[in-house]
């Protein structure tokens, strides 16, 4: 029993020393890659966004008025059936977002509390609620910043990753511009961009602090670089290479056969010529 306990303690001590060594290495790496929060926030913000967002009552009013235009635009098909502006908006938004969501990470968040036939409507309601909340922001003040900060903290607890903010907001802005059409003027879109830049600047810090891996990356696998398509392309290339190899082997063997036949033909010709000489 004493021997077993001694062995066990040695193993445990070894495990603890290994963990301590790993911990020291992680701490060292953490010190070497100490990236300021401002840089992290800028990293997870679209490059087209301003470093210092400017919002005021006039710019927010442009957002509200343009949003009302989107909501009030119905689409009537050939049969006379009408689709509301709200439905048109969130249908287009989620079609665009799906391009970036081959892994289902956005779908998992947006459909967390819905299922079945009400899933699309529930997702649409979430989107509309977000925009209605954002267009109520009229100025950059500490109270609004705190509210957005706490909202960002709540989002991080729901496992919403910092990179998802950028994809979500850019998709939202593209959809807004699309639904506005010719009403998407420079002033209107600048107002939307500044508004969401302010929102992201306030919400991202609690989502980033202690919750990111500096080497983390996210790749969309539904594109032309998807694993399935790459595998198919590799298979085609292998088949082409095998065909070329077989063709070359046949060509080489034919050449060898022709070359080996030439001396025999030449020999037969020389013998025939010799016989003719003897006959004369």
């Amino acid at each position: 029993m004493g021997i077993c306990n001694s062995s066990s303690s040695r193993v445990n001590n070894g495990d603890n020393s290994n963990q301590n060594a790993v911990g020291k290495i992680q701490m060292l790496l953490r010190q070497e890659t100490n990236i300021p929060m401002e840089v992290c926030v800028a990293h997870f913000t679209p490059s087209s966004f301003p470093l210092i967002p400017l919002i005021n009552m006039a710019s927010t009013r442009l957002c509200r008025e343009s949003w009302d235009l989107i909501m009030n635009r119905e689409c009537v098909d050939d049969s006379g059936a009408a689709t509301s502006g709200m439905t048109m908006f969130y249908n287009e938004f989620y079609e665009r977002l799906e391009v970036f969501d081959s892994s289902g990470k956005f779908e998992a968040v947006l459909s967390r509390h819905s299922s079945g036939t009400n899933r699309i409507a529930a997702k649409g309601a979430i989107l509309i609620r977000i925009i209605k909340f954002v267009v109520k922001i009229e100025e950059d003040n500490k109270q609004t910043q705190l509210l957005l900060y706490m909202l960002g903290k709540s989002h991080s607890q729901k496992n919403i990753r910092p990179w998802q903010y950028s994809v979500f907001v850019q998709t939202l802005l593209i959809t807004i511009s699309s639904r506005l059409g010719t009403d998407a003027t420079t002033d209107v879109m600048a107002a939307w961009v500044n508004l969401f830049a302010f929102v992201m600047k306030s919400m991202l810090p609690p989502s980033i602090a202690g919750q990111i891996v500096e080497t983390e990356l996210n790749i969309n696998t539904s594109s032309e670089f998807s694993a399935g398509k790459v595998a198919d392309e590799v298979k085609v290339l292998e088949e082409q290479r095998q065909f070329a190899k077989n063709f070359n082997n046949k060509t080489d063997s034919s050449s060898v056969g022709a070359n080996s036949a030439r001396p025999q033909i030449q020999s037969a010709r020389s013998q025939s010529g010799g016989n003719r000489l003897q006959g004369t």
Side-chain angles (χ1 to χ4, degrees), residues 186-201:
T186 301
D187 290 341
V188 168
M189 294 313 300
W192 279 107
V193 167
N194 275 278
L195 185 57
F196 276 106
F198 170 69
V199 170
M200 291 184 67
K201 186 178 180 180

Side-chain angles (χ1 to χ4, degrees), residues 14-211:
D15 290 342
N16 291 334
S17 62
N18 289 337
Q19 290 176 358
N20 291 335
V22 171
K24 289 179 181 178
I25 293 172
Q26 289 176 336
M27 183 63 68
L28 180 62
L29 290 173
R30 209 173 286 124
Q31 291 173 353
E32 291 179 352
T33 59
N34 186 19
I35 303 173
M37 178 57 71
E38 294 81 1
V39 176
C40 291
V41 171
H43 170 75
F44 289 110
T45 302
S47 58
S48 59
F49 279 22
L51 289 174
I52 302 177
L54 299 176
I55 61 170
N56 50 51
M57 294 180 66
S59 62
T60 304
R61 185 173 63 251
L62 284 175
C63 293
R64 282 199 297 266
E65 290 174 353
S66 58
W67 179 245
D68 288 340
L69 284 176
I70 293 173
M71 291 294 97
N72 293 330
R73 285 181 176 170
E74 287 188 345
C75 180
V76 181
D77 60 22
D78 296 336
S79 64
T83 304
S84 69
M86 179 188 298
T87 303
M88 294 290 294
F89 181 83
Y90 69 64
N91 281 344
E92 180 174 339
F93 171 82
Y94 283 114
E95 285 176 5
R96 293 180 183 275
L97 186 64
E98 190 177 355
V99 176
F100 301 97
D101 195 29
S102 58
S103 59
K105 293 181 180 179
F106 284 95
E107 180 68 25
V109 173
L110 295 166
S111 301
R112 182 173 294 159
H113 302 296
S114 59
S115 61
T117 56
N118 71 329
R119 177 174 295 179
I120 296 176
K123 287 163 57 179
I126 292 172
L127 182 62
I128 303 304
R129 190 163 62 246
I130 290 171
I131 297 176
K132 285 184 175 180
F133 168 78
V134 169
V135 296
K136 289 180 180 178
I137 299 173
E138 294 187 341
E139 59 179 337
D140 181 353
N141 55 45
K142 290 184 178 180
Q143 184 178 358
T144 305
Q145 290 178 14
L146 178 60
L147 178 62
L148 291 170
Y149 182 91
M150 296 307 295
L151 187 60
K153 191 171 184 178
S154 172
H155 278 46
S156 67
Q157 293 170 351
K158 297 175 182 177
N159 296 322
I160 297 176
R161 308 293 298 143
W163 64 268
Q164 290 180 291
Y165 283 84
S166 179
V167 174
F168 188 89
V169 169
Q170 288 188 95
T171 305
L172 195 56
L173 290 171
I174 291 171
T175 309
I176 289 172
S177 177
S178 173
R179 300 310 307 165
L180 283 174
T182 56
D183 290 312
T185 63
T186 301
D187 290 341
V188 168
M189 294 313 300
W192 279 107
V193 167
N194 275 278
L195 185 57
F196 276 106
F198 170 69
V199 170
M200 291 184 67
K201 186 178 180 180
S202 301
M203 288 185 66
L204 277 171
S207 299
I208 294 171
Q211 300 187 64

